[in-house]
Amino acid sequence: MAKKLIFLLFVLVCVVYSQEMELKTGQVGLDFSIFSYKTEDKLEQKRYSPLKAGLMSALIPGSGEFYTKSYIKSALFFTAEVVLWVVYFNYTRKGDEQTRWFKRYADENWSVVDYASWINEWMRRYGGHDAPRLSIDPNENLKPWQRVNWSRLNGGRKDI
């Protein structure tokens, strides 16, 4: 809960501090279509379209800020986007490697025939005299998954 609250506070602060425009004329349409910045001795006004800046940022993060001559913000947004994509792909790759390792380990160390034998032994010891048993085909030339009836194995006690 605390992490969510800190994240929401972070987002709120970012939104508040990212707003640089001040209402100059009192006309919302005009104020939001004019972006001003100060040079050394005078105030210059340039017209930037918020829609164009927004669309540019949607396509390439930071490009809308670059368009409005906020170069530091542009670099920060673009860098953050690149870093997040690198982290995403890195962790996705690590997850895929772990999945491959797990499957390899399972293929080398797990046998459905041994599992079915264990279930049969467990049922014999603890299931009572009428406990159901899985049938295991004695033909060792078959693949292990062909020696056990999968639907009975996966069906639970009533289907065994």
Side-chain angles (χ1 to χ4, degrees):
M1 179 68 178
K3 288 182 181 179
K4 288 182 182 178
L5 196 57
I6 290 170
F7 177 74
L8 288 174
L9 184 62
F10 175 74
V11 169
L12 180 64
V13 168
C14 288
V15 167
V16 169
Y17 279 108
S18 68
Q19 304 299 318
E20 292 180 357
M21 297 189 307
E22 298 175 10
L23 295 178
K24 294 174 182 20
T25 65
Q27 297 174 356
V28 176
L30 182 60
D31 287 336
F32 282 107
S33 66
I34 298 173
F35 181 88
S36 62
Y37 62 94
K38 288 185 180 183
T39 59
E40 290 180 11
D41 58 346
K42 59 182 179 177
L43 179 67
E44 293 183 13
Q45 290 190 348
K46 298 281 184 179
R47 290 193 166 263
Y48 299 111
S49 166
L51 180 61
K52 184 176 180 181
L55 290 175
M56 289 174 71
S57 286
L59 293 174
I60 301 172
S63 62
E65 295 291 338
F66 190 83
Y67 165 69
T68 59
K69 300 195 185 324
S70 296
Y71 300 116
I72 293 174
K73 278 187 185 179
S74 175
L76 289 174
F77 286 139
F78 185 75
T79 303
E81 186 75 17
V82 169
V83 166
L84 290 173
W85 278 110
V86 167
V87 168
Y88 167 78
F89 285 119
N90 187 38
Y91 279 103
T92 299
R93 181 186 51 79
K94 285 182 179 181
D96 291 344
E97 286 174 7
Q98 191 68 21
T99 300
R100 283 190 294 276
W101 177 87
F102 176 77
K103 287 180 179 181
R104 220 177 15 257
Y105 180 85
D107 289 343
E108 293 169 0
N109 297 295
W110 188 80
S111 165
V112 68
V113 174
D114 291 344
Y115 180 62
S117 298
W118 176 83
I119 288 176
N120 285 339
E121 179 62 25
W122 193 88
M123 285 296 200
R124 184 186 64 75
R125 283 188 189 170
Y126 306 109
H129 69 285
D130 62 341
R133 293 177 49 95
L134 288 168
S135 61
I136 301 172
D137 192 325
N139 183 358
E140 292 188 11
N141 292 329
L142 293 174
K143 305 267 188 215
W145 58 86
Q146 293 173 331
R147 294 179 60 196
V148 177
N149 185 336
W150 281 93
S151 62
R152 291 189 62 171
L153 178 66
N154 291 328
R157 184 180 170 114
K158 66 179 186 240
D159 294 330
I160 295 178

